[in-house]
Amino acid sequence: EKFKMNSSSKAWKLLVILCVGLAHTCDALALRHSVTKTRAVIGNDSADSEAFSLASVRRSLIRQEETIIFALIERAQFRRNKQIYQSSIGENQAHSPSFLSFMLSETEKVHAKARRYTSEEEHAFFPVETGNVSPVISRLPYPPLLVPQSININDEILQLYIDKVVPSICPEGDDEQHGSSALCDIACLQALSRRIHIGKFVAEQKFVAEPDKFTELVNARDICGINELLTNDLVEERVCQRARIKTVAFGQDAFSDADVGFKVAPNVIVELYRDMIIPLTKQVQVRYLFERVGGLHKPLRDDEWPASLLGYQTANPEQSTKPKRAANW
């Protein structure tokens, strides 16, 4: 009887997991076809809007949601372990890297040998160190989908992750699982970095669709105007709600005898997307558009950035009264 009760009350969880897994597999197959087609088209110097579009980027973003959520669930099983974020490696601790920085740097050097950072989608947290590493395998002929640029906001991502994300998902204290915690941190940081920097690809497609408008706004250094043109409220709401649903599905033990609650609170994941991932992704888009148009004759100052493009800001900008646009990616 106990098994029947648990089965009837929790069977939906397993069904949701199976359905999401099937959708994930289908998306992966579709993206593989899209990427292959993109390489063939660009290799022949032919323009094809279907080969690289906002729709293909959207499929990639949806899959990355699962990567991010699973990585955060793994990190949440350990305590905060603040010591791994403090300077502690080497004899001169005042000028030594933290344990996380050491592990992340060494991991990136290994990944650089496997040509990870030759892809436009990947960005190292320690680009100087990885730049001195030569891949041990030949480079892949990636198509040039973006204009030459050097945008990398991983320093900001790392600081927000340590100060905001980890405290929101991990209980306070130290369980001495420093190595395991650092490895989980690396997985989270790499997933977040890839998700946020893919904003370059979104910006490229939006610029191609409306080049005159973006050029005018960039030349006027109108960051708020660019942000308004980039923002799609319906899409952002849909992203947050999809992240909530996936956290509910993945964050519980199916058919567990004990109701242990969520491994990571769904609201925390929604806040992560709303207050960090989405704003920083749009910040990357704005930076890319400035370099795309060539409007960085003077570097962007910190006071030029609105709060809506910075992570975890407490400021509440006035709600826009313009009608919401239909979702297109």
Side-chain angles (χ1 to χ4, degrees):
E1 287 296 324
K2 183 177 181 181
F3 175 76
K4 291 181 179 179
M5 291 177 63
N6 288 333
S7 298
S8 62
S9 61
K10 298 183 179 180
W12 65 270
K13 298 177 187 175
L14 182 59
L15 180 61
V16 171
I17 293 173
L18 291 174
C19 291
V20 172
L22 179 60
H24 173 74
T25 302
C26 294
D27 276 344
L29 292 173
L31 182 71
R32 188 175 305 165
H33 170 74
S34 175
V35 171
T36 302
K37 183 180 177 184
T38 300
R39 289 178 178 170
V41 170
I42 295 185
N44 294 328
D45 295 327
S46 173
D48 187 339
S49 59
E50 291 185 12
F52 174 58
S53 64
L54 287 176
S56 64
V57 175
R58 175 180 174 272
R59 287 193 294 270
S60 177
L61 293 177
I62 291 175
R63 284 199 326 284
Q64 290 178 48
E65 292 166 2
E66 297 156 21
T67 302
I68 291 171
I69 292 170
F70 276 122
L72 293 171
I73 289 174
E74 286 296 296
R75 180 60 180 93
Q77 66 183 303
F78 305 110
R79 292 192 176 274
R80 186 176 179 183
N81 296 328
K82 294 170 62 174
Q83 185 176 342
I84 67 177
Y85 309 121
Q86 301 167 353
S87 298
S88 59
I89 301 297
E91 296 181 359
N92 186 3
Q93 295 190 5
H95 299 89
S96 63
S98 67
F99 180 63
L100 174 61
S101 295
F102 169 77
M103 291 291 292
L104 180 54
S105 175
E106 295 300 310
T107 299
E108 289 190 336
K109 290 176 185 177
V110 174
H111 290 185
K113 290 181 179 294
R115 69 187 176 200
R116 176 171 189 162
Y117 302 108
T118 62
S119 168
E120 291 180 319
E121 298 179 28
E122 301 289 350
H123 299 75
F125 284 83
F126 295 91
V128 175
E129 287 80 352
T130 57
N132 296 325
V133 177
S134 299
V136 297
I137 51 180
S138 59
R139 295 171 179 259
L140 291 174
Y142 289 111
L145 301 177
L146 305 174
V147 299
Q149 41 75 40
S150 58
I151 299 167
N152 186 331
I153 64 167
N154 276 340
D155 287 344
E156 188 172 351
I157 294 172
L158 176 60
Q159 199 60 51
L160 287 172
Y161 176 80
I162 294 173
D163 294 343
K164 300 293 185 179
V165 179
V166 174
S168 70
I169 63 174
C170 298
E172 287 293 334
D174 193 315
D175 54 17
E176 299 185 349
Q177 300 298 315
H178 297 172
S180 298
S181 298
L183 292 177
C184 290
D185 285 332
I186 292 171
C188 291
L189 287 166
Q190 290 179 331
L192 289 169
S193 174
R194 189 170 188 269
R195 168 59 176 82
I196 289 169
H197 284 99
I198 208 170
K200 298 178 186 181
F201 296 88
V202 177
E204 174 65 24
Q205 282 299 298
K206 291 191 174 184
F207 177 83
V208 170
E210 299 181 287
D212 294 337
K213 289 184 179 180
F214 282 114
T215 299
E216 180 182 354
L217 291 168
V218 168
N219 289 334
R221 296 180 73 88
D222 186 358
I223 296 179
C224 290
I226 297 172
N227 181 37
E228 183 175 350
L229 190 57
L230 290 170
T231 299
N232 191 319
D233 297 321
L234 289 177
V235 168
E236 293 179 7
E237 290 176 8
R238 184 178 298 174
V239 168
C240 291
Q241 291 308 314
R242 189 168 58 240
R244 181 193 300 275
I245 292 171
K246 290 182 178 181
T247 306
V248 170
F250 302 147
Q252 299 179 87
D253 293 321
F255 299 110
S256 174
D257 290 338
D259 185 6
V260 295
F262 297 108
K263 298 170 183 175
V264 175
N267 285 344
V268 170
I269 301 300
V270 172
E271 291 171 2
L272 170 69
Y273 268 86
R274 184 191 65 216
D275 299 337
M276 178 179 171
I277 292 178
I278 291 175
L280 293 188
T281 300
K282 291 197 289 186
Q283 182 189 138
V284 167
Q285 293 181 44
V286 171
R287 291 183 183 276
Y288 177 82
L289 289 168
F290 267 84
E291 296 203 18
R292 180 70 165 81
V293 174
L296 277 181
H297 305 298
K298 294 189 299 181
L300 292 169
R301 304 186 312 272
D302 291 342
D303 59 1
E304 289 185 270
W305 290 99
S308 58
L309 294 179
L310 303 175
Y312 287 103
Q313 295 297 302
T314 56
N316 293 318
E318 294 182 3
Q319 296 292 329
S320 174
T321 57
K322 65 182 180 65
K324 295 181 178 180
R325 293 178 289 152
N328 59 3
W329 65 278

